[in-house]
Amino acid sequence: MSLVLEREAPPLHEDETGAVRVGNSRVLLEIVIRAFQDGASPESIVNRYDTLSLSDVYNTIGYYLRHMNAVDAYLSRRAQLGETLQQRLSATQTDLSLIRSRLLSQLIW
């Protein structure tokens, strides 16, 4: 019996918003990679996100290690997008501190 070696595509897919997801889950690539960078093992990542398979997490980390520059660039773009979105939300939402203080003043202790 001989071992059949074949290339496998990484278990990554881009959703309709341009976010990269892992396997057949909705878990974002950045979540898996950040957890790995923070020292989490693939097994602990799967325990946190039970929709992930262990093989998909190992393959994703392997892909990251082989394509670190490209993945880091993607992660940077996603972080910048998040910051831009946060700034837009902050600019459109009113200051809620006045509402909060009014509500707190109405509470009866």
Side-chain angles (χ1 to χ4, degrees), residues 88-100:
R88 283 196 328 207
L89 287 174
S90 295
T92 59
Q93 291 181 343
T94 59
D95 182 16
L96 299 179
S97 60
L98 180 61
I99 295 171
R100 183 175 187 274

Side-chain angles (χ1 to χ4, degrees), residues 43-91:
E43 290 81 4
S44 67
I45 295 170
V46 170
N47 285 335
R48 288 184 209 167
Y49 306 98
D50 61 358
T51 57
L52 292 172
S53 74
L54 188 57
S55 64
D56 284 349
V57 173
Y58 268 104
N59 283 330
T60 298
I61 292 169
Y63 179 82
Y64 167 67
L65 293 173
R66 286 187 304 278
H67 302 91
M68 202 174 288
N69 290 338
V71 174
D72 285 342
Y74 167 79
L75 295 178
S76 293
R77 286 191 307 274
R78 294 285 294 171
Q80 288 173 340
L81 179 64
E83 288 174 21
T84 301
L85 181 59
Q86 181 65 40
Q87 289 171 355
R88 283 196 328 207
L89 287 174
S90 295

